Amino acid sequence: KINQVSMAMPDGTPVTARTRNGRIGVYEWGDSNGDGAVTVADLVTVIAHLQGKTPDTFIEEVTDINEDGTIDADDCSRIETIVLSE
């Protein structure tokens, strides 16, 4: 059973693929809930995680945007920037 696959784009940008229901999917940075879009719902997912109420849909690997190994307010702020820029 494969849980996660780490890859890199040709420019070196890391990409994380996760499996769900026997399917492999690739998620964008900040798509914390894995719904295929970076939206306010992802911010809600991160805040729930920070409050210790991690939803089943939470994807840590694409939430740690600054890649420091910790999900924190900085990652939340970076997701907010992505949401506002789209």
Side-chain angles (χ1 to χ4, degrees):
K1 183 175 181 181
I2 299 172
N3 291 325
Q4 171 181 324
V5 178
S6 294
M7 304 172 284
M9 298 296 286
D11 67 357
T13 305
V15 177
T16 299
R18 302 265 297 170
T19 62
R20 288 194 182 164
N21 303 322
R23 297 179 181 175
I24 295 177
V26 177
Y27 301 100
E28 292 181 57
W29 279 114
D31 185 11
S32 301
N33 63 8
D35 67 356
V38 182
T39 65
V40 172
D42 296 298
L43 291 170
V44 173
T45 300
V46 176
I47 291 168
H49 172 74
L50 293 174
Q51 293 175 338
K53 303 171 188 173
T54 305
D56 292 338
T57 58
F58 181 71
I59 304 173
E60 182 173 343
E61 294 78 10
V62 296
T63 303
D64 185 14
I65 294 182
N66 62 9
E67 299 183 275
D68 66 355
T70 304
I71 307 298
D72 55 21
D74 183 54
D75 297 301
C76 199
S77 175
R78 290 172 187 241
I79 292 172
E80 179 182 28
T81 299
I82 294 169
V83 169
L84 294 174
S85 70
E86 292 186 4

